[in-house]
Amino acid sequence: MEYESSSSIWDGVYYYPHLFGGLMLTAALLGLSTSYFGGLGFSSLPYMWSDLGIFHKKKCQKKRIRVYMDGCFDLMHYGHANALRQAKALGDELVVGVVSDEEIVANKGPPVLSMEERLALVSGLKWVDEVIADAPYAITEKFMNSLFNEHKIDYIIHGDDPCLLPDGTDAYALAKKAGRYKQIKRTEGVSSTDIVGRILSSLKDTKACENHDDSSSLPGIALKGSQSNSAHISQFLPTSRRIVQFSNGKILRSARQLGDFLLVGIHTDQIVSEHRGKGHPIMHLHERSLSVLACRYVDEVIIGAPWEVTKDMVTTFNITLVVHGTVAENNSLLAGEPDPYAVPKSMRIFRMLDSPKTITTTSVAQRIVANHEAYVKRNAKKAENEKKYYAEKVYVSGD
């Protein structure tokens, strides 16, 4: 008879305390020291007591819980990332469904990012184990059975904010009826609707808007009247715990492959504004920090990194290579400003990486502006739903 280890004895102690205690008492009455058992060795006890059949424990591997969460993940932000982080905490493996372009058009309006771009963003998040492309917007009975039987999903996850179909019904009604639905807490202070508003606001005085109506006059966009993005007040409330929870794009993956530890510097809002102009950044420092930390290739970030990579930075963080992508926003140098990479270049530890895509903040903004009427309509409807959500909002546990 084979036994795995002496840990079986301790299982016996836990499940049969009275019997084990009786054995110890008998030993004491016979004048045997309890150390006798130590001298005898736990490894031999199972053979002596095999007929009792109580200390043998068959190897039983715990079933891994697989959870599913879907979404459009358009203009992906840290709110999406935090939702997926919470979903992963409810199980062992997280499978994410990315809704198809056609389904998004039918239910919400045209997406800003393509399916390929959205898949790349979702796959790059550290909490995601598998991705299902072209998922349906609503959990139909056929798709739900596919999740349970083919993908071995145990629970379907969604936030506490309502997800309604065009006919007003709940997109997750079937999952709830099946008893396989779990809810997480929505991340306050950010939404795709809000991001669209910030982007349009940042572009209203730029060349991208010359052939369009002034964005401040577009209905349904949260622009705070005629204020620019620089006056936009974010509702995001950062906490040290949130940053820790996040801490444990392809250009980042390429950078990570060049070393053992990827440290990403994130500039302050002031630095970004000085080099990119009024209305920037679209997201403030803490929002950008969480977004970068959510990437599976990033090990750590410098929150508020200086514009110039100094010798002190290289020494302090033990940096062996500084990299920069070939595609970036037009971060022009200010008058008399030195090359921010002069030090690593002089140390011969600087390298340019070929950017796999040409997408930038500006190119995304131009997509929105070029199709602004559709986004106005979508945002107007979304704004109504969010207003109703906050009016009826109740406390939901979770983080």
Side-chain angles (χ1 to χ4, degrees):
M1 190 173 184
E2 294 183 359
Y3 293 85
E4 295 172 21
S5 69
S6 61
S7 63
S8 302
I9 295 298
W10 299 114
D11 291 331
V13 174
Y14 181 82
Y15 291 107
Y16 301 92
H18 299 299
L19 177 57
F20 191 83
L23 291 172
M24 297 297 287
L25 179 59
T26 300
L29 292 174
L30 292 175
L32 298 175
S33 169
T34 55
S35 62
Y36 171 79
F37 288 96
L40 184 63
F42 280 152
S43 60
S44 62
L45 281 173
Y47 294 96
M48 295 176 60
W49 298 339
S50 60
D51 291 338
L52 295 176
I54 61 172
F55 293 128
H56 177 64
K57 183 180 180 182
K58 293 181 179 179
K59 188 173 183 179
C60 182
Q61 186 175 5
K62 178 184 175 183
K63 180 184 181 299
R64 293 182 66 78
I65 302 299
R66 287 169 61 83
V67 297
Y68 172 84
M69 186 172 192
D70 57 20
C72 301
F73 303 109
D74 197 22
L75 288 181
M76 196 160 187
H77 47 72
Y78 66 90
H80 292 132
N82 193 43
L84 295 176
R85 180 192 64 79
Q86 292 182 79
K88 178 64 177 283
L90 295 177
D92 301 302
E93 298 172 3
L94 173 61
V95 180
V96 180
V98 181
V99 178
S100 68
D101 293 345
E102 295 75 18
E103 289 275 287
I104 296 176
V105 170
N107 290 277
K108 300 182 69 174
V112 178
L113 304 181
S114 67
M115 169 59 76
E116 179 188 3
E117 292 166 336
R118 291 183 288 118
L119 281 174
L121 289 170
V122 173
S123 300
L125 294 183
K126 60 178 66 175
W127 301 285
V128 177
D129 297 296
E130 297 176 28
V131 178
I132 299 176
D134 296 318
Y137 188 79
I139 301 293
T140 63
E141 187 169 356
K142 179 181 179 181
F143 184 68
M144 185 171 68
N145 289 334
S146 172
L147 290 177
F148 294 158
N149 299 323
E150 296 177 27
H151 298 282
K152 308 302 180 185
I153 298 300
D154 295 288
Y155 297 101
I156 295 172
I157 316 296
H158 187 63
D160 63 309
D161 53 319
C163 183
L164 303 178
L165 300 175
D167 62 2
T169 58
D170 185 352
Y172 295 90
L174 289 176
K176 293 176 180 178
K177 185 178 180 181
R180 306 280 286 274
Y181 175 86
K182 287 191 176 184
Q183 184 173 275
I184 59 170
K185 188 173 183 178
R186 171 179 172 169
T187 303
E188 303 292 357
V190 67
S191 67
S192 296
T193 304
D194 180 50
I195 299 299
V196 169
R198 296 191 204 183
I199 290 175
L200 287 175
S201 179
S202 70
L203 290 178
K204 70 175 184 175
D205 295 323
T206 66
K207 192 178 280 189
C209 289
E210 285 181 355
N211 297 322
H212 299 273
D213 294 334
D214 183 89
S215 61
S216 63
S217 64
L218 297 177
I221 305 295
L223 296 183
K224 306 293 183 183
S226 61
Q227 294 176 341
S228 67
N229 188 66
S230 60
H232 179 90
I233 301 176
S234 171
Q235 301 302 312
F236 173 62
L237 300 176
T239 64
S240 58
R241 185 185 183 198
R242 177 71 74 238
I243 293 175
V244 170
Q245 288 169 331
F246 271 61
S247 297
N248 254 1
K250 289 187 179 181
I251 189 67
L252 292 175
R253 179 174 63 186
S254 299
R256 183 65 173 78
Q257 292 172 347
L258 295 175
D260 303 312
F261 191 92
L262 178 58
L263 177 67
V264 178
I266 303 176
H267 297 310
T268 65
D269 295 347
Q270 181 179 351
I271 288 176
V272 175
S273 181
E274 289 174 351
H275 291 85
R276 295 283 308 285
K278 187 177 181 181
H280 291 89
I282 302 299
M283 294 187 182
H284 66 59
L285 179 60
H286 288 100
E287 293 174 317
R288 290 181 284 122
S289 297
L290 290 183
S291 296
V292 174
L293 277 172
C295 179
R296 68 171 74 249
Y297 312 112
V298 176
D299 294 294
E300 192 175 352
V301 300
I302 300 177
I303 303 176
W307 177 252
E308 182 181 354
V309 179
T310 64
K311 180 67 167 63
D312 181 65
M313 280 182 62
V314 172
T315 302
T316 299
F317 294 102
N318 194 29
I319 297 171
T320 56
L321 189 65
V322 177
V323 299
H324 192 268
T326 54
V327 175
E329 297 288 354
N330 183 24
N331 294 321
S332 57
L333 296 177
L334 301 177
E337 187 176 48
D339 180 358
Y341 301 107
V343 169
K345 286 178 180 178
S346 68
M347 298 174 66
R348 303 195 178 202
I349 60 170
F350 179 80
R351 184 183 301 184
M352 291 294 294
L353 286 181
D354 290 331
S355 299
K357 299 290 182 180
T358 59
I359 187 171
T360 64
T361 304
T362 299
S363 66
V364 170
Q366 289 170 342
R367 296 184 195 182
I368 294 173
V369 173
N371 203 18
H372 73 275
E373 290 184 3
Y375 293 115
V376 165
K377 184 177 180 180
R378 186 180 79 174
N379 278 25
K381 183 177 180 180
K382 182 70 174 179
E384 287 182 21
N385 292 337
E386 289 199 359
K387 184 177 181 180
K388 182 178 180 181
Y389 163 76
Y390 281 109
E392 302 174 354
K393 177 182 171 183
V394 295
Y395 174 75
V396 176
S397 62
D399 56 7

